[in-house]
Amino acid sequence: MKVHLQTHVQTQALPPRSHAFLFATPAQTFGSRKFTTKKGTFCLRQCNKSHGYGSSIKSSVTGGINEVQEEEDERKEKRQPVVKRAYPFHVIEPKWQHYWEKNQTFRTPDEIDTSKPKFYVLDMFPYPSGAGLHVGHPLGYTATDILARFKRMQGYNVLHPMGWDAFGLPAEQYAIETGTHPKITTLRNINRFRSQLKSLGFSYDWDREIATTEPEYYKWTQWIFLQLLKRGLAYQAEVPVNWCPALGTVLANEEVIDGVSERGGHPVIRKPMRQWMLKITAYAERLLEDLDDLDWPDSVKEMQRNWIGRSEGAEMEFFVLYNDGRESDIKITVFTTRPDTIFGATYLVVAPEHFLLSSLVSTAQQKYVEQYKDLATRKSDLERTELQKEKTGVFSGCYARNPANGEAIPIWVADYVLGSYGTGAIMAVPAHDTRDHEFALKYDIPIRWVVSPDEKSPNDYGNAFLGQGTIINSSDSTLGLDINGLCSKEATAKVIEWAEKTGNGKKKVNYKLRDWLFARQRYWGEPIPVIFLDDSGETIPLLEKELPLTLPELEDFTPTGTGEPPLAKAASWIKTTDPSSGKPARRESNTMPQWAGSCWYYLRFMDPKNSKELVDKEKERYWSPVDVYVGGAEHAVLHLLYSRFWHKVLYDIGVVSTKEPFKCVINQGIILGEVQYMAFRNSDGNFISAEYADMLGESIQEKIPEEKVVKSGDSFVLKDNPKIRLVARAHKMSKSRGNVVNPDDVVSEYGADSLRLYEMFMGPFRDSKTWNTSGIEGVHRFLGRSWRLIVGSPSPNGTIMDGTVASDEEPTLEQLRSLHKCISKVTEEIEGTRFNTGISAMMEFINAAYKWDKQPRLIIEAFVLLLSPYAPHMAEELWFRLGHSRSLAYEPFPKANPVYLKTSTIVLPVQINGKTRGTIQVEEGCTEEDAFNLAEEDEKISRYLVGKAIKKRIYVPGKILNVILERENIKVGAR
């Protein structure tokens, strides 16, 4: 059910006439009252606020949301009003936000002219947390908005939507802690996010807003799951998972850090559970191959390649031995990328969760192996495979036969081998693998060199040699394998050929990529649309016409403690019957992971209200793929990989027309919190310089205010004691560090356009930047200068004139050159997402324009259009004051005229008697006489001409001026 929580009472836009109040308007609340209707409780507030004007009505499914909104209103009203502003943004911005919403300025119609080019620009789905936005969030949103506005003005059909990735663990945990239903907190958080985004003037098509928690949306998430199930791409399996008893759910590897949950820091153990899995490995090769054609950051593509981890090699069979040395029927299959080193395999390693382990352990080692297995369950896969960690293991008490030389080699259990990768077992070659080498040294296992580096003997090589070379010590006539003297590549091919011929192995391509664990023991997630027959346990998918399967209402969301999900408590919902046979059945009580809804939302934005199919085929063909997708690099191997997998499945079944969902991906940089200056005190409480803090061991850190800090060379020191060097740090914004800056506060003091402009001006879009609130004053002054240049300065009493100071005079050549240089630069930099240098170009233009006596309307209107993607509120107001009655959102973006981009002056070398004596600047087409006159006036050149007779001048226009002087008569005295 989609609940619209906000309905605006529209007010007429204020005319820009003699607004004496524009520069100082303390907030006043004139009254409020509540009233109740059949649809819920409403709160009507009439305000004249410092950040806007007008009235609003807010409703909610419970009274709780009203109270939160009232608290927010009161918090805003208590802010100290800004006494002086560079321009009246506090009236301009709400006025134009109101206009855009009332007129649906940025709505993309369902029926559009498909002969026009399209531009689909998308932000990565935000998760609406209760904390709301901080100033780091609008960085990407501002960039996509600039691109969307720019492309609209270039005549494109633009799709620029926004929605919410609203299922997930945070909302459920908050519900458990507070007793508030997740639906309530989620809707409240969405309201806050939406309000903040609107206050920043983003040109989203809010008619297309979706949330993953809406049944009409997750109906199609469930439909996709059923298609995966039909094709064998969804299945159930008993797999070791990261189980967090405190949270009562399975966690992904990425949600576990150092053995504890990322959220809450609770202990996590490895435990086998029956889970839903998605067979993403079936698409591994396609996911790898199609990366080459994508306009994505190389770092992201490389991360996906490494995550998929394609490797070619062989599977080899090692038979387990009885105590008397005879071969048993049990065989351990290992995958190796280096079959050429098989004679160097001196032991086997199986993962603690290997399915054969119980059959491999001797009675004497049973106790030790069980203890080791228990320890291994407390580590994440990342911890277990980290190269820097010391390797640990335990002997199984059992041996296997090396098929290449017949040797009995010990079988060890070690957690640096994962049960989920390859076969869960490896042949360890300590001479030629770093991890195996460390392990062998620690446990005194033989190390046999079988590959010789070409330039030195193996005895000269202290550590493991990982490269290829010439094979040595690798021959056994009894078993028929001799690869001595071959190079590694030839030896690999010969070992595989021998293994396949003798039944000891086969060629194999392997992937690190594992199937996607798709079940969560949570309430707040999409129900999985299957039932299980009571008598047989058979899995029966729901009929498509029965979708959506909606969540039941639950009051108790707490974990059961048994591994059963919270949904198991909804007994009447769990118990059902199979509609086909009438047999009693039960519903699946696990839910889908948070990633599910975000895998395909970009498709739903193309056709958000379609109740008959996931997306209309014609609309999908027109809008696909997403042209520009902006978000954090942290989603490189999760969301982006999962979305590509689902998209390829949908492509295979004819739902989508493209092989890939996102044509271009851009990762914005991170905005770090303001720099914090830390000083150190010793045990006596005295300040010590930062370089001595580590040497002394124990020291106390103390945060120093910026006004007490000065820069000295490359360091920061105490202003009162420059000998005390400080440490300057900037961290990612987080509530725990107390360095979060609320955009509402910045908008209140400087305006949304200033915030947008500052975030783009801080530095290259893809780089990380450090927030500095004082830095916003620079762009705020630029906007103020732009306003005064076009509107004029206010009178002493604060009154602002009507209209603008723009004149109807024809622009000069200098003015046209300045404008078109700016147009060219701004256009080029927006297209290259170099927004900071585009702003610099506009600043240069304003500096030049302040030197002009008149501001021609033709020049000013073009500049306003250039400014509009960056500072849309101010631009709209200036456009209106310039005499236009409609929004500039669809006005043509200015185009640079090449005629005015040509350099107007050239540097002309001047020679005297063939020797260059200096240069002068001349206009193109300069005559010889004018060039000579300029040369005569040049201080450096003129000294060679004073008092000299000129024989002739040689002038090549645009190339050179050569002045030939008369030779002076030289008198020679008599001998």
Side-chain angles (χ1 to χ4, degrees), residues 466-539:
L466 309 183
Q468 298 192 346
T470 303
I471 304 301
I472 59 174
N473 302 325
S474 299
S475 174
D476 190 290
S477 57
T478 306
L479 295 170
L481 182 60
D482 181 1
I483 54 175
N484 277 333
L486 298 179
C487 69
S488 293
K489 185 176 181 181
E490 292 172 333
T492 294
K494 188 168 183 179
V495 170
I496 292 173
E497 182 185 3
W498 168 84
E500 290 181 336
K501 186 176 179 180
T502 59
N504 286 305
K506 62 182 179 181
K507 187 175 183 178
K508 178 76 173 177
V509 175
N510 205 19
Y511 300 90
K512 286 183 182 177
L513 183 66
R514 288 161 281 163
D515 282 346
W516 178 8
L517 179 63
F518 198 69
R520 295 292 185 270
Q521 291 67 47
R522 300 174 188 165
Y523 166 70
W524 196 235
E526 298 93 336
I528 296 175
V530 298
I531 61 175
F532 305 99
L533 297 182
D534 286 354
D535 58 359
S536 64
E538 181 186 353
T539 303

Side-chain angles (χ1 to χ4, degrees), residues 25-30 46-54:
T25 54
Q28 287 183 305
T29 300
F30 295 114
Q46 292 177 302
C47 311
N48 178 19
K49 297 181 182 178
S50 62
H51 64 281
Y53 54 86

Side-chain angles (χ1 to χ4, degrees), residues 429-713:
V429 185
H432 305 290
D433 182 274
T434 302
R435 295 178 309 170
D436 298 346
H437 189 265
E438 291 175 13
F439 193 88
L441 289 176
K442 181 175 180 178
Y443 293 105
D444 198 24
I445 300 172
I447 298 173
R448 179 181 299 124
W449 289 81
V450 293
V451 182
S452 175
D454 294 334
E455 71 278 4
K456 60 177 72 176
S457 69
N459 293 332
D460 298 331
Y461 225 88
N463 298 320
F465 172 61
L466 309 183
Q468 298 192 346
T470 303
I471 304 301
I472 59 174
N473 302 325
S474 299
S475 174
D476 190 290
S477 57
T478 306
L479 295 170
L481 182 60
D482 181 1
I483 54 175
N484 277 333
L486 298 179
C487 69
S488 293
K489 185 176 181 181
E490 292 172 333
T492 294
K494 188 168 183 179
V495 170
I496 292 173
E497 182 185 3
W498 168 84
E500 290 181 336
K501 186 176 179 180
T502 59
N504 286 305
K506 62 182 179 181
K507 187 175 183 178
K508 178 76 173 177
V509 175
N510 205 19
Y511 300 90
K512 286 183 182 177
L513 183 66
R514 288 161 281 163
D515 282 346
W516 178 8
L517 179 63
F518 198 69
R520 295 292 185 270
Q521 291 67 47
R522 300 174 188 165
Y523 166 70
W524 196 235
E526 298 93 336
I528 296 175
V530 298
I531 61 175
F532 305 99
L533 297 182
D534 286 354
D535 58 359
S536 64
E538 181 186 353
T539 303
I540 307 291
L542 260 62
L543 300 175
E544 291 179 11
K545 66 180 181 181
E546 295 176 334
L547 301 179
L549 172 62
T550 57
L551 279 172
E553 291 294 332
L554 269 187
E555 295 182 2
D556 180 12
F557 321 106
T558 56
T560 60
T562 64
E564 278 284 298
L567 269 181
K569 299 176 182 179
S572 60
W573 183 84
I574 289 289
K575 285 187 65 175
T576 186
T577 56
D578 174 19
S580 299
S581 65
K583 293 180 179 180
R586 58 183 178 82
R587 298 192 189 280
E588 172 61 82
S589 56
N590 286 303
T591 53
M592 298 185 196
Q594 183 178 341
W595 305 104
S598 63
C599 276
W600 69 280
Y601 73 103
Y602 58 93
L603 293 171
R604 193 61 176 173
F605 277 138
M606 300 174 187
D607 193 15
K609 297 178 175 65
N610 194 331
S611 60
K612 299 187 185 326
E613 55 187 334
L614 186 147
V615 60
D616 176 78
K617 283 184 169 51
E618 287 188 14
K619 291 176 180 177
E620 185 279 327
R621 273 196 296 271
Y622 179 73
W623 287 114
S624 285
V626 175
D627 293 284
V628 175
Y629 193 30
V630 175
E634 65 272 16
H635 300 296
V637 293
L638 292 174
H639 163 63
L640 286 176
L641 194 61
Y642 295 156
S643 292
R644 294 183 63 218
F645 165 45
W646 275 33
H647 191 89
K648 289 183 182 300
V649 175
L650 293 174
Y651 176 77
D652 289 348
I653 64 177
V655 174
V656 298
S657 59
T658 63
K659 292 182 179 180
E660 289 286 338
F662 314 119
K663 181 179 178 181
C664 172
V665 167
I666 300 175
N667 299 137
Q668 79 272 23
I670 297 171
I671 291 186
L672 304 173
E674 293 194 84
V675 174
Q676 296 180 346
Y677 302 97
M678 305 302 296
F680 299 87
R681 292 184 186 269
N682 60 20
S683 55
D684 296 329
N686 299 318
F687 281 120
I688 55 174
S689 198
E691 62 265 32
Y692 303 124
D694 289 337
M695 295 168 56
L696 294 178
E698 293 185 7
S699 58
I700 301 169
Q701 290 191 37
E702 180 178 323
K703 188 175 176 181
I704 304 297
E706 187 176 1
E707 61 270 16
K708 294 185 178 182
V709 177
V710 293
K711 191 167 186 181
S712 175

Side-chain angles (χ1 to χ4, degrees), residues 290-303:
D290 293 343
L291 279 172
D292 294 336
D293 300 326
L294 297 177
D295 181 15
W296 288 21
D298 289 338
S299 59
V300 172
K301 293 200 283 189
E302 193 58 29
M303 286 171 73

Side-chain angles (χ1 to χ4, degrees), residues 829-878:
E829 301 308 82
I830 290 178
E831 288 174 340
T833 62
R834 296 179 295 270
F835 306 109
N836 56 324
T837 45
I839 295 170
S840 295
M842 289 187 283
M843 289 177 170
E844 290 175 12
F845 172 85
I846 289 296
N847 288 339
Y850 260 90
K851 298 173 185 176
W852 304 337
D853 293 331
K854 300 288 185 182
Q855 308 298 334
R857 180 179 300 276
L858 187 149
I859 300 291
I860 294 304
E861 287 192 346
F863 172 73
V864 169
L865 293 174
L866 287 182
L867 181 65
S868 64
Y870 288 89
H873 305 90
M874 174 183 277
E876 288 276 23
E877 180 66 19
L878 293 173

